[in-house]
Amino acid sequence: MLETLDNGKPIRESRDIDIPLVAAHFFYYAGWADKLQYAIPGAKSVPKPLGVVGQIIPWNFPLLMAAWKIAPALACGNTVVLKPAETTSLTCLLLAEIIQEAGLPEGVVNIVTGAGETGAAIVNHPDINKVAFTGSTEVGKIIARSVANTDKKLTLELGGKSAHIIYEDAAIDQAVEGVINGIFFNQGHVCCAGSRLLLEESVADTVVEKLKARMEKLRVGNPLDKNTDVGAINSAAEHVKIKKLIETGKTEGGEFFEPASVNLPTKGYFHKPCFFNRVSSAFTLSRVEVFGPVLAISTFRTTQEAISKANDTQYGLAAGIWSEKGSKIHKTAAALKAGVIWANTYNKFDPTSPFGGFNESGYGREGGRHGLFPYLDI
Amino acid sequence: MRTISLQKENGFPLAIQAVSVDEVGATERADFFTKRSVKKDSKLAALYLALSMCDLTTLEGSDTPGRVQQMCAKARFPVPPDMIEPHLQKRNLPPIPAVAAVCVYPSMVPVAVKALAGSGIGIASVATAFPSGQAPLEVKIEDTRFAVEKGATEIDMVINRGAFLSGRYQEVFDEIVEIKRACGDAHLKVILETGELGSYDRVRLASDIAIEAGADFIKTSTGKVTPAATLPVTLVMLQAIADHHRRTGKKVGMKPAGGIRTSKQAIQYLCMVKETLGTDWMTADLFRFGASALVNDLLKQIYKELTGRYYYDKVFSID
């Protein structure tokens, strides 16, 4: 409830996705705490923690990102200074209370609220041994510059413009559902959102037609309504940014679509789920992360073209492949430069699975055994 | 992609593209409809609608004229009038709707016709050697003709699963075409018996064959095989209907049957139909529930919505 109030995401997602994943993440890393020696093959002794880690998290999954950061850090024996985003601090503060109740010694987990300046103070503090950041590529670059020439370790989980490939032999109805989940989940405020849809030409029209029909059925509105599929844009600033990018998209070309039967509440930062069909790889919408419910659709003719188009980006966070042919999925997945690749599904998260990107999507992995390494002195 | 090449009655070829269904994705999507929350006035409207879509069914070897008469009486008078009417008047609501049809064996059709005379309630009869379908085509056609002659307005046939599972799709197709002809003006519902088909890919293919062969409705199950109707299986069939509608503009109906016992389930199905096919299908002309226990649960929930409390079960007649 608090997460939905604070962030604007549908209560169904907070209830069924965010909060269960938070619990799963803590549970998973709690299991590692006394088995660290076995996390690194051939380790002679228990690996040492780094010390004090500074963590800065975004507003799209406030509590889940806190769990992603705090759980592995604590499991490895570090202490934490964590800064939630200035627009979504509430659940982190509630978590701090829970941590107090749980009897964690004072000073082990420190939550500091604030905006960019606070973040800079954490990053630049001389006693910080490691910085972990999830957020925009822009800020990620600033942080990377700040910690250069220091011995601070750094992991960055940044933006993405992830490709969602649908081959002609895919299960189309389920693929369409995957596209919906890929781009409209959490209003598109997802770093790994499948924001570039690549369709094999022979099925492109069918998919677009079905996608339109499906989008007409989305319910956009009050995030506290259990039936809401797409909630509110997190802040006025984000809303302006999304609208601006759509305007740019309209001037560049492509066919714009937004569902006519979706009604938005008159008050609040709501935005219709939409897409641009027939966009070129050169268009802004194919290259820039919108971080909103905006999808860019283009087509391809062969597997090779699908792969080269999917990799034609400065990012490399995630990708999705839809095909009923296993060999094609493996061939494509092996050639994609993305940290997470889903086959015949999208936006599935599990604490046991490492998550992270290539290129401007950042470096370091969170989740799974790999998620321990950034917090250990190895 | 696999193409099934068939021949139509008029000798022209018919190519059916076998559509793949991702089982995990279909199940996940179907599960989504269990999370819709329908309350208050919307719930009451959904309960009314569901009741008007019920095919009240008895298909037992032990069926007798007496049993069928009882059920028909239930179809006409689902609830003691003085129990609900005052509450309806208080809120200015329409009367409780009658069910859409009763569903019986062919031998019981004359009984049902007599019992339901003048009520406007449809008379559905299973035919074609229900439930196994293991009889010669001539027998199946005769079975159908008999039911229609005796006054059945709807025929629920079973597909030839033996032929389907051994890949003799033409035979399955031809049988449906023949039965459709034997139906005359009666509506044809084609039962796929999804519990025997083994995969959603096959459910989809059987749906497409049945629709192409002229089914007015496609129906999940006989109720004699487990699993009967489930949300994912129904979703796959609804998607076949949606694709056919997109291609041809024709509207085929859907009837999940077996295993739908509660109002909660019924509402989940209604949400799924609405979000997959649209409001056009929210009518008994295009959507039915094959059920018997469901009717009393709907009545119970309607009473609860009207009064804010549950009445004890005994007040509703069993059948």
Side-chain angles (χ1 to χ4, degrees), chain B residues 11 38 63 76 91-92 106 108 111 187 305:
Chain B
V38 179
D63 284 350
R76 294 181 87 147
R91 290 181 53 180
N92 216 3
M108 292 298 155
V111 180
H187 268 235
E305 284 305 307

Side-chain angles (χ1 to χ4, degrees), chain A residues 90-251:
Chain A
L90 296 184
T91 42
C92 276
L93 295 173
L94 183 66
L95 177 67
E97 285 177 20
I98 293 169
I99 285 172
Q100 277 176 334
E101 279 173 29
L104 208 66
E106 267 180 39
V108 172
V109 172
N110 307 275
I111 310 256
V112 189
T113 58
E117 272 174 38
T118 317
I122 295 174
V123 170
N124 296 320
H125 196 283
D127 294 339
I128 291 275
N129 302 97
K130 178 209 154 52
V131 176
F133 172 74
T134 297
S136 72
T137 297
E138 196 188 338
V139 176
K141 285 177 179 173
I142 298 171
I143 292 176
R145 275 185 221 114
S146 319
V147 302
N149 291 324
T150 70
D151 56 3
K152 290 172 189 170
K153 279 191 154 198
L154 176 65
T155 47
L156 298 171
E157 203 268 88
L158 308 174
K161 192 77 196 175
S162 301
H164 210 155
I165 301 169
I166 300 183
Y167 285 115
E168 63 178 6
D169 52 8
I172 300 293
D173 282 316
Q174 286 72 45
V176 167
E177 207 49 50
V179 171
I180 295 283
N181 184 38
I183 184 64
F184 302 130
F185 169 53
N186 202 30
Q187 297 75 247
H189 300 327
V190 184
C191 48
C192 55
S195 50
R196 283 187 298 143
L197 179 61
L198 302 176
L199 303 174
E200 191 148 11
E201 276 190 17
S202 53
V203 292
D205 291 346
T206 313
V207 173
V208 169
E209 202 185 330
K210 288 191 173 200
L211 189 59
K212 284 181 181 173
R214 178 68 181 87
M215 283 166 71
E216 296 286 353
K217 298 284 188 301
L218 286 171
R219 301 174 71 105
V220 185
N222 185 352
L224 285 173
D225 182 335
K226 282 190 276 186
N227 290 323
T228 291
D229 297 326
V230 180
I233 303 299
N234 180 254
S235 63
E238 275 306 308
H239 199 197
V240 169
K241 197 186 111 191
I242 294 167
K243 283 194 276 195
K244 217 178 252 174
L245 279 165
I246 289 177
E247 285 316 308
T248 310
K250 282 179 178 168
T251 59

Side-chain angles (χ1 to χ4, degrees), chain A residues 12 15-16 168-174 177 209-210 213-214 217 219 226-227 229 324 344 348, chain B residues 1 20-22 25-26 28-29 32 35-39 201 204 239 243 246 274-276 278:
Chain A
R12 180 171 50 79
R15 181 195 67 191
D16 294 347
E168 63 178 6
D169 52 8
I172 300 293
D173 282 316
Q174 286 72 45
E177 207 49 50
E209 202 185 330
K210 288 191 173 200
R214 178 68 181 87
K217 298 284 188 301
R219 301 174 71 105
K226 282 190 276 186
N227 290 323
D229 297 326
E324 289 289 285
N344 292 334
K348 284 280 174 297
Chain B
M1 265 181 288
S20 299
V21 180
D22 183 285
E28 198 175 28
R29 176 67 182 144
F32 177 89
K35 294 181 179 152
R36 284 288 189 226
S37 165
V38 179
K39 302 280 183 216
D201 284 344
R204 175 63 200 238
Q239 283 169 340
D243 283 349
R246 217 167 277 133
K274 180 158 192 287
E275 292 187 36
T276 311

Side-chain angles (χ1 to χ4, degrees), chain B residues 13-35:
Chain B
L14 170 70
I16 294 180
Q17 298 283 345
V19 176
S20 299
V21 180
D22 183 285
E23 301 225 11
V24 178
T27 308
E28 198 175 28
R29 176 67 182 144
D31 187 50
F32 177 89
F33 297 105
T34 64
K35 294 181 179 152

